[in-house]
Amino acid sequence: MKRLFLEPEKILRDRAIIDGTNVRYLTNVLRSSMGDELTLLDGLGKGYKGKIVSIGRDKIDVQIAKAFEINTESPLDITIAQGIPKAEKMEIIIQKATELGVKKVVPLITQRAVVRTKSPVRLERWSKIATSSAQQSGRSKIPLIESITGYKEFLSREFSGVKMIFYEGRVKKGIKEFLRELTVVKEITFLIGSEGGFTEEEVGMAIKKGFTPVGLGPRILRTETAGITALSILQYELGDMGIS
């Protein structure tokens, strides 16, 4: 069944109104027509089953048959702070991280980041990718894609839970050893460098904020591989991957 995220205020008791770019998405991309059934998601944990009853140029009306609770979210609250790589790589990271259940992605301007400007157009593009990926993967909520943030600015925040910085230099612990030492974990924040990784200065700054340098094995992973690998391991070891 086709799935679509819709703003809660556009979903009424027995009717929903679809407008804007979602009209083109349903008609041109999904080839929807009168009578098609849809699952609408409000992004807050509720789903709605309905049927298309009218299609106009600027608006689609859906008759709601029933509402239901939906929760396909990971029990882990994971934030990836990602040094910004080339455009297509960042898009892949956001897409796959969304599929794997990330709660938040923070694009970082690091010393070796390719992108060094805070473009709202780029952020809009990334947010659309997160929404599309959340719809495709059956999530009940859309992850937050934060505004592009400077590295020092990000580290000035207060953090709770587990904090890691993945680094290809000398580290005392691999991710397997690090995870074995943990007990109850709900929140995780981890840092991934862009192409070229983090500088030693950046690693030192993160350590001062309580981040633990952790390795992902003897091979150097590309930036678009490292975050997805780390997230997969965390979800398998501590989250809900493999749970039926």
Side-chain angles (χ1 to χ4, degrees), residues 120-146:
V121 175
R122 188 174 288 110
L123 178 62
E124 182 180 358
R125 167 70 178 162
W126 292 338
S127 296
K128 287 180 179 179
I129 289 171
T131 299
S132 176
S133 184
Q135 288 175 172
Q136 177 273 325
S137 59
R139 290 192 58 171
S140 53
K141 297 181 180 179
I142 303 170
L144 172 64
I145 311 299
E146 281 200 9

Side-chain angles (χ1 to χ4, degrees), residues 175-210:
I175 188 168
K176 184 185 294 186
E177 180 186 358
F178 179 78
L179 294 180
R180 284 175 179 171
E181 297 175 354
L182 300 178
T183 52
V184 178
V185 179
K186 291 186 178 180
E187 293 182 57
I188 300 172
T189 301
F190 66 84
L191 297 162
I192 298 287
S194 61
E195 290 96 339
F198 292 111
T199 64
E200 290 188 11
E201 178 186 4
E202 288 173 324
V203 174
M205 291 168 58
I207 291 173
K208 288 181 180 178
K209 283 292 295 187

